[in-house]
Amino acid sequence: MTKIDILAPGALPEASVETLRERFACHRAVGSDKVDAILAEAAGRIRGMARGGHFNVDRTLIDRMPKLEIIANFGVGYDGIDLKRCAERGIVVTNTPDVLTEEVADTALGLLLMTVRELSAAERHLRAGKWAREGNYRLTPSTLRDRTVGIAGLGRIGLAIARRLDAMKVPVAYHARHERTGVPYRYFADLHAMAEAVDTLVIVLPGTPATKGAVDARVLKALGPNGIVINIGRGSVVDDAALIEALATRTIRAAGLDVFTDEPHVPEALLALDNVVLLPHVGSASVHTRDAMGQLVVDNLSSWFETGKPLTPVPETPWPPRR
Ligand code: 8YV
């Protein structure tokens, strides 16, 4: 039987690419130059896409493939795909929920502890020989013991973070578009109001037009001088200039960031600050979890082409389609 043609652009685990090659006529392209070359020859045959990490899938790219039926995204966040165009064309978009929830929640907790207890600065102190030469690393002015955490975005990952904080006896509040039933945490419909009530903000929001710049100067000021911001959602949710200003002027105490507006580029002004912990978007980045995400990409494509049903469609391109 002839294999179905799919395009696989961007960063994907090698094991998943191998499986895609076994099941499909897989056109693999890491960069956009190669995509152009592939589409020049195969655009009219491509029926599916395995979209690697953050590869830009705009209207122009989508419309070069008249037979495209499904885009299986590698990641739970699917910003960077023109969903409106997909919905208009009846193209289903899927993502990779659940399989990365615990990993990302672990990373969020790690980053929170690194930031609150200055763990990376303490390690740098040791490695620089300062422990033996100059003495102990300083007692940290911050502790989790007296903090209240506000989680912005209480989806699967937000809830997994809240569960970890429960175990650590840290009080939790949350902000989301809608109040969730059956959760014991205080709900704030307004992000600024939550920032006034807590001192630690953990951002788990997706990158959408509605969340762009939501954490602005006003929200940061509301956290107060003891304020700590952790972002493992999307860089675009935070107003970069406002955050840099708040850190530099000690309007807030510190930040821990795993995501940035223009990845992999990190503003020089952030690199120069000592009250920010910076990670290179490693939230889901273990072999175990990335392989599970890759497998779900493969399974979504296989299910679509074998049964006509996607496994994990995103709400913007629901399946079955809403009439
Ligand atoms: C990425 C993430 O998928 O799932 C997400 O939304 O941000 C990450 O897990 C990862 O960067 C792979 O590109």
Side-chain angles (χ1 to χ4, degrees), residues 289-322:
T289 294
R290 287 288 170 84
D291 281 352
M293 291 161 64
Q295 189 59 48
L296 188 48
V297 168
V298 174
D299 292 345
N300 264 299
L301 290 168
S302 300
S303 174
W304 176 258
F305 289 114
E306 280 161 22
T307 71
K309 288 190 193 118
L311 298 177
T312 48
V314 305
E316 293 85 345
T317 62
W319 188 263
R322 291 187 201 113

Side-chain angles (χ1 to χ4, degrees), residues 140-191:
T140 61
S142 293
T143 169
L144 269 189
R145 301 288 73 75
D146 58 7
R147 287 188 170 268
T148 303
V149 172
I151 300 178
L154 202 74
R156 297 171 176 88
I157 297 171
L159 275 173
I161 293 170
R163 257 196 293 112
R164 283 159 173 75
L165 291 168
D166 284 348
M168 296 161 89
K169 300 188 167 45
V170 176
V172 169
Y174 75 102
H175 159 72
R177 268 177 309 174
H178 306 290
E179 187 164 9
R180 289 188 72 124
T181 47
V183 299
Y185 316 114
R186 182 170 172 202
Y187 171 65
F188 289 87
D190 181 62
L191 178 58

Side-chain angles (χ1 to χ4, degrees), residues 25-197:
C26 175
H27 302 270
R28 174 77 179 124
V30 177
S32 40
D33 294 0
K34 182 92 190 287
V35 168
D36 283 340
I38 291 169
L39 292 185
E41 190 273 318
R45 299 197 305 276
I46 305 280
R47 293 176 57 197
M49 189 191 297
R51 186 239 188 180
H54 313 283
F55 193 90
N56 191 32
V57 181
D58 58 16
R59 186 188 180 99
T60 313
L61 178 63
I62 293 167
D63 283 349
R64 285 170 79 184
M65 293 170 278
K67 293 204 174 134
L68 188 62
E69 298 166 32
I70 179 168
I71 300 175
N73 180 54
F74 179 71
V76 70
Y78 43 94
D79 42 312
I81 300 178
D82 188 333
L83 296 165
K84 189 165 164 278
R85 189 60 188 146
C86 290
E88 284 165 4
R89 288 255 323 258
I91 297 166
V92 174
V93 177
T94 64
N95 66 343
T96 59
D98 298 317
V99 291
L100 47 56
T101 300
E102 304 301 326
E103 202 77 76
V104 178
D106 286 351
T107 309
L109 259 293
L111 185 54
L112 176 64
L113 287 168
M114 284 172 82
T115 309
V116 171
R117 296 297 321 287
E118 304 179 6
L119 298 180
S120 37
E123 191 194 7
R124 286 197 295 275
H125 179 85
L126 179 153
R127 286 181 182 276
K130 291 186 182 172
W131 189 18
R133 221 172 38 240
E134 295 171 16
N136 290 337
Y137 184 75
R138 72 171 183 161
L139 303 185
T140 61
S142 293
T143 169
L144 269 189
R145 301 288 73 75
D146 58 7
R147 287 188 170 268
T148 303
V149 172
I151 300 178
L154 202 74
R156 297 171 176 88
I157 297 171
L159 275 173
I161 293 170
R163 257 196 293 112
R164 283 159 173 75
L165 291 168
D166 284 348
M168 296 161 89
K169 300 188 167 45
V170 176
V172 169
Y174 75 102
H175 159 72
R177 268 177 309 174
H178 306 290
E179 187 164 9
R180 289 188 72 124
T181 47
V183 299
Y185 316 114
R186 182 170 172 202
Y187 171 65
F188 289 87
D190 181 62
L191 178 58
H192 179 260
M194 181 172 80
E196 280 187 322

Side-chain angles (χ1 to χ4, degrees), residues 175-304:
H175 159 72
R177 268 177 309 174
H178 306 290
E179 187 164 9
R180 289 188 72 124
T181 47
V183 299
Y185 316 114
R186 182 170 172 202
Y187 171 65
F188 289 87
D190 181 62
L191 178 58
H192 179 260
M194 181 172 80
E196 280 187 322
V198 304
D199 47 32
T200 310
L201 177 63
V202 176
I203 303 164
V204 203
L205 293 169
T208 66
T211 63
K212 191 167 163 41
V215 178
D216 57 10
R218 195 165 152 263
V219 169
L220 294 168
K221 189 158 190 302
L223 288 171
N226 204 24
I228 285 185
V229 172
I230 303 298
N231 192 3
I232 54 128
R234 281 293 180 265
S236 62
V237 177
V238 176
D239 175 337
D240 282 341
L243 177 64
I244 290 164
E245 169 82 7
L247 287 167
T249 57
R250 301 297 200 256
T251 302
I252 62 168
R253 184 178 292 285
L257 309 174
D258 185 45
V259 288
F260 302 88
T261 308
D262 183 26
E263 296 178 9
H265 308 288
V266 176
E268 284 296 329
L270 279 178
L271 296 172
L273 288 167
D274 63 2
N275 54 343
V276 58
V277 177
L278 304 167
L279 295 180
H281 200 149
V282 293
S284 67
S286 68
V287 174
H288 170 94
T289 294
R290 287 288 170 84
D291 281 352
M293 291 161 64
Q295 189 59 48
L296 188 48
V297 168
V298 174
D299 292 345
N300 264 299
L301 290 168
S302 300
S303 174
W304 176 258

